[in-house]
Structure formats: C-alpha cells, structure tokens
C-alpha cells in the first residue's frame, strides 16, 4: 500500500506517439520493489491501452479459474433488403452468457422479436454448455420484459444515470 510517508508524486506532462500523456511517477513503495512504475493517463485511451490492462488481469483469472473460453454471440434481425437492423449481442464466458446488447427497432417492438432473440440466445448458450444468462438494463428500458422471461434481479445500481437505476438480472438455464 502506498502512503504519503513512502511515496512522492511528481506530475509530468509528456508526449508519446503524438498523444498528450499525464504521468504520476511513484518514487518509493511501502513494500520495497526493484521496479519503478509510472501512472499514465492518456488523453484518448486506445484499444492498445485496454489490451495492456486486460493482459495481466486475464492471466491472473486464467491461473485461478481456468480459461474462460470467451465466445462472441450474435443473433441478428434482418430486414427484407438484407440489412441488419437490430438483434442480440453477447458473449459466453465461464459457462454464462452475458447479453451486452438487445435492440429491436421501435416500429417492431411488441411483435415478439425481443422474445425470439432471447430464446435463440438462450438456446445457443445451452448448446454451448452455459448454465445461465445475465444482463443489465436501465430503469427506463426493459426490466419487466426480462422478468417475464424468467430473469431474477440480483443487483441494483442507484443513480446510474442520476435519478434512475441500473438493474442486473440473471436466469439459470
């Protein structure tokens, strides 16, 4: 743990690959370390920045829980012209399907497409060995829709956005 008596912070602005970078250099650690690290805050975080954060986290997770076998899943709504106009987007990992996105064009809501997309997603997840499905939705979106499909609330985040709630739901398969 770093505290004021063991660390000093020297803010530094620099340029790296044409991007402005804000750095905070940590001169000492509470626990002696042969390494010096620099906290860097890019003005415009990139996919490479994300990959740098993900790599050690993924390695740690795999060492503790095994390979998550992450597999993307898409079930698309296609119009008569062959254009994709909505659908379900998610990923299977650690034997659960996470539904990141579900969208039905407004003019087609209430026609059963949402239910059909969810049923297809669940069928693919079951065939892929998943034991459950989880997702999140906002207060102004579709909590009731998911509950009608057998999802249970397992978490609520208040004031996201301010004055509203974000709900986390799951369903055992």
């Amino acid at each position: 743990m770093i505290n004021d008596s063991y660390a000093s912070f020297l803010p530094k602005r620099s340029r790296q690959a044409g991007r402005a970078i804000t750095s905070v250099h940590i001169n000492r650690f509470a626990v002696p370390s042969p390494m010096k690290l620099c906290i860097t805050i890019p003005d415009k975080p990139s996919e490479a920045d994300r990959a740098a954060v993900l790599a050690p986290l993924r390695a740690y997770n795999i060492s503790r829980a095994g390979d998550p076998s992450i597999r993307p899943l898409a079930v698309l709504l296609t119009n008569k012209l062959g254009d994709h106009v909505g659908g379900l987007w998610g990923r299977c990992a650690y034997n659960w399907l996470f539904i990141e996105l579900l969208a039905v064009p407004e003019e087609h809501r209430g026609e059963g497409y949402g239910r059909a997309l969810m049923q297809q997603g669940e069928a693919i997840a079951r065939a892929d060995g998943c034991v459950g499905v989880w997702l999140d939705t906002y207060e102004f979106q579709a909590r009731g829709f998911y509950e009608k499909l057998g999802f249970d609330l397992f978490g609520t985040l208040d004031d996201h956005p301010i004055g509203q709630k974000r709900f986390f739901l799951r369903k055992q398969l």
Side-chain angles (χ1 to χ4, degrees):
M1 178 171 203
I2 300 168
N3 64 37
D4 290 337
S5 65
Y6 291 100
S8 61
F9 300 92
L10 303 172
K12 177 182 171 186
R13 276 307 258 185
S14 64
R15 286 250 174 234
Q16 182 181 53
R19 297 186 307 159
I21 305 290
T22 301
S23 299
V24 178
H25 294 275
I26 301 171
N27 292 335
R28 291 187 214 135
F29 294 86
V31 177
S33 172
M35 296 177 54
K36 285 189 175 183
L37 297 178
C38 175
I39 295 174
T40 304
I41 304 167
D43 288 338
K44 295 180 181 175
S46 67
E47 280 301 312
D49 297 330
R50 182 181 187 279
V53 173
L54 181 59
L57 178 61
R58 191 172 192 318
Y60 178 85
N61 290 351
I62 288 170
S63 75
R64 299 303 188 275
D67 187 351
S69 300
I70 299 170
R71 298 160 316 280
L73 183 144
V75 182
L76 304 173
L77 291 174
T78 307
N79 68 15
K80 290 180 183 180
L81 301 174
D83 300 321
H84 302 302
V85 297
L88 179 150
W89 181 267
R91 65 184 171 275
C92 294
Y94 289 124
N95 304 105
W96 277 77
L97 168 60
F98 169 61
I99 297 177
E100 183 178 353
L101 306 167
L102 179 72
V104 174
E106 230 174 307
E107 65 271 18
H108 294 290
R109 291 184 185 161
E111 297 176 13
Y113 293 110
R115 177 180 292 276
L117 289 166
M118 293 296 293
Q119 288 170 340
Q120 285 295 311
E122 288 178 23
I124 293 168
R126 264 191 211 91
D128 221 12
C130 290
V131 297
V133 180
W134 72 282
L135 54 84
D136 61 84
T137 189
Y138 292 101
E139 185 174 6
F140 56 86
Q141 288 180 329
R143 177 181 171 184
F145 167 75
Y146 296 117
E147 288 174 331
K148 287 178 188 173
L149 296 177
F151 282 78
D152 296 311
L153 182 71
F154 73 89
T156 302
L157 181 60
D158 293 327
D159 286 327
H160 187 61
I162 298 293
Q164 303 223 21
K165 296 177 182 181
R166 186 171 184 176
F167 300 111
F168 297 83
L169 298 106
R170 67 178 166 218
K171 179 179 181 179
Q172 296 288 140
L173 295 178

